[in-house]
């Protein structure tokens, strides 16, 4: 959904090739956006774009939708956005893409819930030789190949690198080391696995992992799992959560146990609630992605593809490590990074 420095430089760590806002639609709904270019003329001369994203029950994807909408308004692009009913609604999301695939769209932005759930629709799109831009969560390469689909570009966070940043930050929070637990998303999920693997690679040797569990990207599930883990490991020093929603559930479990501040929590995403939890002390650090930027670049990529531009195969979105020292600046800049980042698609559209 890229993308150790001193505290002064820690705010933004931008990937070499470059995911807070509120959505305008309800969960599982659709929206359209279009507008005029800054000179008052319409830039939407190359066709309509369709985007299918994950569920708007998660603020991360609300912000991604806002990035797509704002880019459409800025460039006058006619875009239809449809979202899954929930972050776990694989079949419903697939049905939305299949329905759109039969219509006259000239480019598609896809943000699959799993690596394979959108393959049927992708195959329909590929058969018409329409560009497919993959954002945030990758379409499984073998599945895309079997569908005869060439993904024009992939835009998203380097999740392994994000996990490594979290592992290094845990070392900073626990200079004397200690036992930590990892809380992942859906079991077998590629994004979750990459973040957990990255954390394992990035942590110092004196930080040991005593347990790894899956909490389905869900706050309440994470609360329950964290409560069980703390009971089984009374000397636990920290948690790493593969997304902010689970991190907030863990923070609540720690508060219920009367151990806020004693057990460190790091999560990944960069949602406003997580930033506010840093300010209040429930979460110690967030490896923030910029879903707004991922959505914006996804539509830019489609605009460039429809103009016949050759797209880079992969673009890493920016990330930043946010702590109590930098959270105010992060909130002020949101939903964008606090510093400039590379955007090759904007360059292609010049």
């Amino acid at each position: 959904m890229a993308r150790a420095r001193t505290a002064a430089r820690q705010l933004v760590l931008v990937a070499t090739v470059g995911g807070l806002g509120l959505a305008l639609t309800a969960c599982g709904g659709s929206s359209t956006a279009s507008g005029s270019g800054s000179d008052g003329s319409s830039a939407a001369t190359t066709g309509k774009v369709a985007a299918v994203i994950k569920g708007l029950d998660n603020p991360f994807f609300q912000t991604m939708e806002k990035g797509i909408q704002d880019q459409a308004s800025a460039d006058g692009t006619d875009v239809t956005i449809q979202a899954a009913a929930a972050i776990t609604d694989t079949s419903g999301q697939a049905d939305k893409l299949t329905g759109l695939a039969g219509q006259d769209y000239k480019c598609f932005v896809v943000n699959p819930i799993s690596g394979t759930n959108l393959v049927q629709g992708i195959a329909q799109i590929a058969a018409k030789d329409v560009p497919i831009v993959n954002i945030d969560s990758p379409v499984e390469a073998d599945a895309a190949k079997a569908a005869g689909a060439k993904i024009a570009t992939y835009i998203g966070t380097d999740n392994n690198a994000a996990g490594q940043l979290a592992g290094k930050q845990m070392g900073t929070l626990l200079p004397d080391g200690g036992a930590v637990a990892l809380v992942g998303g859906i079991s077998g999920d590629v994004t979750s696995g990459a973040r957990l693997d990255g954390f394992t690679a990035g942590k110092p040797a004196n930080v040991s992992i005593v347990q790894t569990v899956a909490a389905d990207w869900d706050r309440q599930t994470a609360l329950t799992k964290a409560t069980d883990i703390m009971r089984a490991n009374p000397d636990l020093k920290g948690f790493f959560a593969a997304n902010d929603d689970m991190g907030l559930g863990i923070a609540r479990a720690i508060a219920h146990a009367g151990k806020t501040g004693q057990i460190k929590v790091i999560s990944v995403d960069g949602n406003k609630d997580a930033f506010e939890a840093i300010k209040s002390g429930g979460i110690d650090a967030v490896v923030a992605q910029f879903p707004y930027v991922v959505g914006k670049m996804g539509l830019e990529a489609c605009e460039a593809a429809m103009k016949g531009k050759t797209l880079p195969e992969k673009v890493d979105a920016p990330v930043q490590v946010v702590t109590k020292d930098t959270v105010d600046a992060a909130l002020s800049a949101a939903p964008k990074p606090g510093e400039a980042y590379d955007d090759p698609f904007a360059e292609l559209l010049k």
Side-chain angles (χ1 to χ4, degrees):
M1 136 123 257
R3 352 350 311 244
R5 301 184 178 183
T6 63
R9 297 293 306 276
Q10 191 180 33
L11 176 59
V12 177
L13 295 171
V14 181
T16 54
V17 204
L20 299 155
L22 296 176
L24 303 180
T25 61
C27 295
S30 63
S31 62
T32 58
S34 61
S36 300
S38 58
D39 61 354
S41 63
S42 174
T45 58
T46 50
K48 299 186 297 181
V49 176
V52 176
I53 63 175
K54 295 182 185 179
L56 300 178
D57 54 328
N58 187 312
F60 185 90
F61 303 106
Q62 297 173 19
T63 309
M64 180 183 290
E65 181 189 49
K66 186 67 162 56
I68 297 171
Q69 291 170 330
D70 284 359
Q71 177 60 25
S73 295
D75 279 2
T77 300
D78 187 344
V79 60
T80 296
I81 308 168
Q82 293 196 5
I87 198 171
T88 55
D89 181 28
T90 54
S91 59
Q93 188 193 40
D95 289 343
K96 290 179 184 294
L97 181 62
T98 300
L100 291 168
Q103 300 179 43
D104 187 28
Y105 292 101
K106 300 305 181 185
C107 187
F108 284 79
V109 179
V110 296
N111 169 219
I113 291 174
S114 76
T116 59
N117 75 300
L118 298 185
V119 168
Q120 183 178 350
I122 287 171
Q124 289 180 244
I125 298 164
K128 298 192 296 183
D129 199 29
V130 172
I132 301 167
V133 172
N134 182 193
I135 63 173
D136 180 47
S137 297
V139 176
E140 187 179 281
D142 289 344
K145 183 177 180 180
K150 183 181 185 303
I151 302 299
T153 187
Y154 170 74
I155 306 160
T157 302
D158 182 334
N159 287 296
N160 188 279
Q164 288 191 45
L165 289 173
K168 292 175 182 176
Q169 183 64 26
M170 188 64 81
T172 300
L173 293 172
L174 300 176
D176 297 327
V180 302
L182 311 188
V183 180
I186 298 170
S187 181
D189 181 84
V190 173
T191 297
S192 175
R195 292 176 184 176
L196 300 184
D197 289 346
F199 181 91
T200 302
K203 72 172 183 62
N206 65 349
V207 171
S208 60
I209 297 169
V210 295
Q211 195 169 350
T212 301
V213 299
D216 301 335
W217 305 115
D218 180 72
R219 189 178 304 196
Q220 184 60 44
T221 304
L223 186 158
T224 301
K225 295 288 182 77
T227 300
D228 293 342
I229 290 170
M230 286 188 291
R231 286 173 180 163
N233 301 275
D235 295 328
L236 194 76
K237 298 297 184 184
F239 281 98
F240 169 60
N243 82 344
D244 284 346
D245 222 30
M246 296 189 297
L248 290 163
I250 293 166
R252 190 180 302 167
I254 293 171
H256 289 171
K259 294 186 175 181
T260 297
Q262 300 173 41
I263 298 178
K264 306 301 182 182
V265 182
I266 301 176
S267 60
V268 179
D269 268 350
N271 296 333
K272 183 178 181 180
D273 286 352
F275 286 169
E276 294 294 347
I278 291 176
K279 290 174 68 70
S280 65
I283 290 179
D284 297 276
V286 168
V287 180
Q289 307 178 85
F290 296 92
Y292 181 93
V293 173
V294 173
K296 178 180 183 293
M297 289 202 296
L299 187 57
E300 286 177 332
C302 266
E303 292 170 346
M306 292 189 299
K307 293 178 182 295
K309 304 290 186 177
T310 299
L311 307 184
E313 181 179 349
K314 180 178 181 291
V315 172
D316 288 336
V319 296
Q320 68 179 27
V321 176
V322 179
T323 66
K324 198 158 190 172
D325 291 337
T326 58
V327 67
D328 286 334
L331 279 166
S332 177
K336 301 175 183 179
E339 293 182 3
Y341 60 93
D342 291 332
D343 183 349
F345 306 111
E347 293 298 316
L348 289 173
L349 290 171
K350 286 183 178 179

